[in-house]
Amino acid sequence: DTGVSQDPRHKITKRGQNVTFRCDPISEHNRLYWYRQTLGQGPEFLTYFQNEAQLEKSRLLSDRFSAERPKGSFSTLEIQRTEQGDSAMYLCASSLASQGGQPQHFGDGTRLSIL
Amino acid sequence: AQSVTQLGSHVSVSEGALVLLRCNYSSSVPPYLFWYVQYPNQGLQLLLKYTTGATLVKGINGFEAEFKKSETSFHLTKPSAHMSDAAEYFCAVSDRKGYKLSFGAGTTVTVRA
């Protein structure tokens, strides 16, 4: 169990630029989740995949956000035309889908700073 | 819709003292409940979870939590605080479908020597 891996750990970019983050889940986990965490708050759900299918997207996920999991393994989260309000920690988690209550295992996150 | 309320954004305890972190949830049916810990610049680590069965749940690092349906609570305790317990703690709930987590705002614990 190598854990959930996220890359990069930190990203600094100018407003209006596009950014892409990568998440590698625990290998046998078929569910993958993205959350966003702002300073002093708990994580907020963005979207989740079961295998390669994106099954739910939060209303927080505007049209500028897109997530993919093309082969049911790693996932990418892209933000287009970044805005100041996108500054946050983006967390990825994975879990088994065998039954309810399976704990989600989190990566260390990608911290995005918009200049 | 589910929601989680953590009472107290900051808790300060002396080393060796009881740690008590409060969590209340709102849900139409008993949900699955979790406590996570987050150290600076790191992701969340699972401390313990409640799904079904025994309402007193033991987790890692000496933490435990009790599910009280009548009070819609899932408070986290540790009998004796250690300096390494200084971190931020999040209570979370998921519905019986068991995927999306809803988190509380978190409680920051500081431990005084």
Side-chain angles (χ1 to χ4, degrees):
Chain A
D1 182 348
T2 58
V4 178
S5 176
Q6 292 189 246
D7 183 71
R9 290 294 313 279
H10 303 276
K11 179 69 176 179
I12 301 173
T13 192
K14 293 182 180 180
R15 183 169 54 90
Q17 298 296 303
N18 299 344
V19 294
T20 301
F21 311 140
R22 177 180 170 123
C23 172
D24 287 89
I26 293 171
S27 57
E28 63 267 28
H29 286 180
N30 48 4
R31 282 188 178 169
L32 186 147
Y33 314 78
W34 286 98
Y35 292 84
R36 181 171 67 188
Q37 185 180 23
T38 53
L39 202 61
Q41 298 298 317
E44 295 174 293
F45 171 80
L46 293 178
T47 188
Y48 98 101
F49 293 83
Q50 182 153 322
N51 300 314
E52 66 274 11
Q54 188 174 18
L55 297 184
E56 183 170 339
K57 294 194 296 184
S58 163
R59 285 172 291 181
L60 293 174
L61 215 63
S62 76
D63 291 344
R64 296 184 297 105
F65 288 70
S66 62
E68 295 181 342
R69 194 183 184 197
K71 296 183 179 180
S73 57
F74 73 91
S75 175
T76 58
L77 178 68
E78 180 182 16
I79 308 174
Q80 296 182 327
R81 305 181 303 282
T82 53
E83 301 174 354
Q84 292 283 352
D86 297 332
S87 294
M89 174 81 88
Y90 291 84
L91 293 164
C92 177
S94 69
S95 76
L96 294 169
S98 58
Q99 61 185 39
Q102 287 292 330
Q104 295 180 21
H105 298 259
F106 284 80
D108 284 341
T110 294
R111 183 169 295 283
L112 175 63
S113 298
I114 307 298
L115 302 177
Chain B
Q2 299 166 310
S3 66
V4 177
T5 302
Q6 291 185 238
L7 296 176
S9 59
H10 290 87
V11 168
S12 180
V13 297
S14 298
E15 192 173 18
L18 172 72
V19 179
L20 170 60
L21 305 182
R22 300 179 187 274
C23 172
N24 289 87
Y25 67 90
S26 66
S27 175
S28 56
V29 295
Y32 299 127
L33 295 155
F34 306 84
W35 276 99
Y36 284 86
V37 61
Q38 186 177 34
Y39 297 98
N41 297 314
Q42 293 186 21
L44 282 74
Q45 179 183 7
L46 180 70
L47 283 176
L48 48 79
K49 67 173 184 176
Y50 171 79
T51 54
T52 59
T55 56
L56 183 62
V57 180
K58 295 187 183 298
I60 62 171
N61 301 339
F63 285 94
E64 63 182 34
E66 186 171 12
F67 169 61
K68 292 187 177 180
K69 182 179 176 181
S70 61
E71 298 177 7
T72 61
S73 69
F74 191 55
H75 302 331
L76 181 72
T77 60
K78 181 174 181 178
S80 177
H82 190 270
M83 298 299 288
S84 61
D85 295 326
E88 190 155 22
Y89 292 78
F90 293 96
C91 181
V93 58
S94 75
D95 62 18
R96 287 282 164 171
K97 295 177 186 176
Y99 59 91
K100 178 170 57 179
L101 289 175
S102 297
F103 286 87
T107 298
T108 300
V109 172
T110 57
V111 182
R112 305 185 304 271

mmCIF file of all heavy atoms in Angstrom, chain B residues 4 9 30 35 43 51-52 60 65 69 71 74 83 91 95 97 103:
data_model
loop_
_atom_site.group_PDB
_atom_site.id
_atom_site.type_symbol
_atom_site.label_atom_id
_atom_site.label_comp_id
_atom_site.label_asym_id
_atom_site.label_seq_id
_atom_site.Cartn_x
_atom_site.Cartn_y
_atom_site.Cartn_z
ATOM 1 N N VAL B 4 -22.544 18.647 9.297
ATOM 2 C CA VAL B 4 -21.773 18.322 10.489
ATOM 3 C C VAL B 4 -21.410 19.619 11.200
ATOM 4 O O VAL B 4 -20.965 20.580 10.557
ATOM 5 C CB VAL B 4 -20.475 17.566 10.117
ATOM 6 C CG1 VAL B 4 -19.638 17.306 11.365
ATOM 7 C CG2 VAL B 4 -20.816 16.269 9.410
ATOM 8 N N SER B 9 -13.786 25.806 17.588
ATOM 9 C CA SER B 9 -12.809 25.760 16.501
ATOM 10 C C SER B 9 -11.394 25.531 17.040
ATOM 11 O O SER B 9 -10.522 25.100 16.291
ATOM 12 C CB SER B 9 -12.859 27.042 15.679
ATOM 13 O OG SER B 9 -12.596 28.156 16.494
ATOM 14 N N PRO B 30 -29.480 7.215 10.071
ATOM 15 C CA PRO B 30 -28.140 7.120 10.671
ATOM 16 C C PRO B 30 -27.083 6.982 9.583
ATOM 17 O O PRO B 30 -27.135 6.087 8.758
ATOM 18 C CB PRO B 30 -28.232 5.861 11.527
ATOM 19 C CG PRO B 30 -29.675 5.744 11.859
ATOM 20 C CD PRO B 30 -30.404 6.238 10.650
ATOM 21 N N TRP B 35 -13.829 10.243 11.942
ATOM 22 C CA TRP B 35 -12.946 11.291 12.433
ATOM 23 C C TRP B 35 -11.614 11.166 11.685
ATOM 24 O O TRP B 35 -11.044 10.076 11.585
ATOM 25 C CB TRP B 35 -12.693 11.182 13.928
ATOM 26 C CG TRP B 35 -13.733 11.819 14.785
ATOM 27 C CD1 TRP B 35 -14.779 11.217 15.430
ATOM 28 C CD2 TRP B 35 -13.824 13.201 15.127
ATOM 29 N NE1 TRP B 35 -15.513 12.133 16.129
ATOM 30 C CE2 TRP B 35 -14.944 13.369 15.964
ATOM 31 C CE3 TRP B 35 -13.064 14.333 14.805
ATOM 32 C CZ2 TRP B 35 -15.321 14.605 16.489
ATOM 33 C CZ3 TRP B 35 -13.437 15.557 15.315
ATOM 34 C CH2 TRP B 35 -14.551 15.691 16.155
ATOM 35 N N GLY B 43 -2.272 15.649 4.056
ATOM 36 C CA GLY B 43 -3.650 15.222 3.841
ATOM 37 C C GLY B 43 -4.278 14.752 5.129
ATOM 38 O O GLY B 43 -3.731 14.932 6.213
ATOM 39 N N THR B 51 -19.784 2.498 11.473
ATOM 40 C CA THR B 51 -20.724 2.117 10.412
ATOM 41 C C THR B 51 -21.949 1.468 11.040
ATOM 42 O O THR B 51 -23.057 1.972 10.948
ATOM 43 C CB THR B 51 -20.074 1.187 9.377
ATOM 44 O OG1 THR B 51 -19.500 0.060 10.058
ATOM 45 C CG2 THR B 51 -18.962 1.923 8.622
ATOM 46 N N THR B 52 -21.761 0.335 11.683
ATOM 47 C CA THR B 52 -22.850 -0.339 12.396
ATOM 48 C C THR B 52 -22.256 -1.044 13.611
ATOM 49 O O THR B 52 -21.042 -1.088 13.792
ATOM 50 C CB THR B 52 -23.548 -1.398 11.528
ATOM 51 O OG1 THR B 52 -22.572 -2.360 11.122
ATOM 52 C CG2 THR B 52 -24.198 -0.791 10.304
ATOM 53 N N ILE B 60 -6.969 4.773 16.178
ATOM 54 C CA ILE B 60 -5.522 4.788 16.337
ATOM 55 C C ILE B 60 -5.107 5.841 17.359
ATOM 56 O O ILE B 60 -5.883 6.746 17.687
ATOM 57 C CB ILE B 60 -4.814 5.037 14.993
ATOM 58 C CG1 ILE B 60 -5.192 6.417 14.426
ATOM 59 C CG2 ILE B 60 -5.151 3.939 13.995
ATOM 60 C CD1 ILE B 60 -4.375 6.826 13.223
ATOM 61 N N ALA B 65 -14.398 7.136 20.035
ATOM 62 C CA ALA B 65 -15.576 7.983 19.839
ATOM 63 C C ALA B 65 -16.816 7.143 20.088
ATOM 64 O O ALA B 65 -16.823 5.932 19.875
ATOM 65 C CB ALA B 65 -15.598 8.561 18.429
ATOM 66 N N LYS B 69 -27.158 7.983 18.894
ATOM 67 C CA LYS B 69 -28.197 8.288 17.925
ATOM 68 C C LYS B 69 -29.189 9.307 18.484
ATOM 69 O O LYS B 69 -29.606 10.238 17.785
ATOM 70 C CB LYS B 69 -28.930 7.002 17.530
ATOM 71 C CG LYS B 69 -30.011 7.188 16.491
ATOM 72 C CD LYS B 69 -30.657 5.862 16.156
ATOM 73 C CE LYS B 69 -31.811 6.048 15.177
ATOM 74 N NZ LYS B 69 -32.467 4.744 14.861
ATOM 75 N N GLU B 71 -28.770 11.665 20.488
ATOM 76 C CA GLU B 71 -28.190 13.003 20.562
ATOM 77 C C GLU B 71 -27.593 13.441 19.217
ATOM 78 O O GLU B 71 -27.061 14.544 19.135
ATOM 79 C CB GLU B 71 -27.105 13.044 21.644
ATOM 80 C CG GLU B 71 -27.626 12.739 23.033
ATOM 81 C CD GLU B 71 -26.515 12.716 24.082
ATOM 82 O OE1 GLU B 71 -25.365 13.070 23.753
ATOM 83 O OE2 GLU B 71 -26.807 12.325 25.228
ATOM 84 N N PHE B 74 -21.249 12.360 17.827
ATOM 85 C CA PHE B 74 -20.136 11.412 17.621
ATOM 86 C C PHE B 74 -18.889 12.095 18.154
ATOM 87 O O PHE B 74 -17.984 12.444 17.417
ATOM 88 C CB PHE B 74 -20.010 11.064 16.135
ATOM 89 C CG PHE B 74 -19.083 9.912 15.830
ATOM 90 C CD1 PHE B 74 -19.241 8.668 16.428
ATOM 91 C CD2 PHE B 74 -18.052 10.058 14.902
ATOM 92 C CE1 PHE B 74 -18.397 7.607 16.141
ATOM 93 C CE2 PHE B 74 -17.207 9.001 14.600
ATOM 94 C CZ PHE B 74 -17.376 7.784 15.220
ATOM 95 N N MET B 83 1.916 15.567 23.259
ATOM 96 C CA MET B 83 2.312 16.699 22.417
ATOM 97 C C MET B 83 2.063 16.408 20.938
ATOM 98 O O MET B 83 1.711 17.304 20.163
ATOM 99 C CB MET B 83 3.782 17.050 22.633
ATOM 100 C CG MET B 83 4.133 17.499 24.038
ATOM 101 S SD MET B 83 3.240 18.989 24.537
ATOM 102 C CE MET B 83 4.067 20.223 23.544
ATOM 103 N N CYS B 91 -14.499 15.976 11.793
ATOM 104 C CA CYS B 91 -15.575 14.995 11.837
ATOM 105 C C CYS B 91 -16.243 14.989 10.465
ATOM 106 O O CYS B 91 -16.397 16.049 9.834
ATOM 107 C CB CYS B 91 -16.572 15.399 12.920
ATOM 108 S SG CYS B 91 -17.958 14.267 13.126
ATOM 109 N N ASP B 95 -23.557 9.365 3.599
ATOM 110 C CA ASP B 95 -24.842 8.676 3.615
ATOM 111 C C ASP B 95 -24.623 7.181 3.401
ATOM 112 O O ASP B 95 -23.492 6.717 3.285
ATOM 113 C CB ASP B 95 -25.788 9.270 2.574
ATOM 114 C CG ASP B 95 -25.256 9.107 1.150
ATOM 115 O OD1 ASP B 95 -24.360 8.264 0.928
ATOM 116 O OD2 ASP B 95 -25.738 9.820 0.270
ATOM 117 N N LYS B 97 -25.103 5.402 0.956
ATOM 118 C CA LYS B 97 -24.485 5.021 -0.302
ATOM 119 C C LYS B 97 -22.976 4.936 -0.126
ATOM 120 O O LYS B 97 -22.277 4.310 -0.895
ATOM 121 C CB LYS B 97 -24.819 6.039 -1.400
ATOM 122 C CG LYS B 97 -26.288 6.096 -1.773
ATOM 123 C CD LYS B 97 -26.508 7.176 -2.815
ATOM 124 C CE LYS B 97 -27.984 7.364 -3.100
ATOM 125 N NZ LYS B 97 -28.205 8.483 -4.052
ATOM 126 N N PHE B 103 -17.846 17.299 5.643
ATOM 127 C CA PHE B 103 -16.957 17.549 6.768
ATOM 128 C C PHE B 103 -17.444 18.718 7.612
ATOM 129 O O PHE B 103 -18.065 19.667 7.106
ATOM 130 C CB PHE B 103 -15.548 17.892 6.254
ATOM 131 C CG PHE B 103 -14.773 16.726 5.732
ATOM 132 C CD1 PHE B 103 -14.900 16.331 4.414
ATOM 133 C CD2 PHE B 103 -13.901 16.034 6.558
ATOM 134 C CE1 PHE B 103 -14.174 15.261 3.912
ATOM 135 C CE2 PHE B 103 -13.168 14.965 6.072
ATOM 136 C CZ PHE B 103 -13.308 14.574 4.752
#
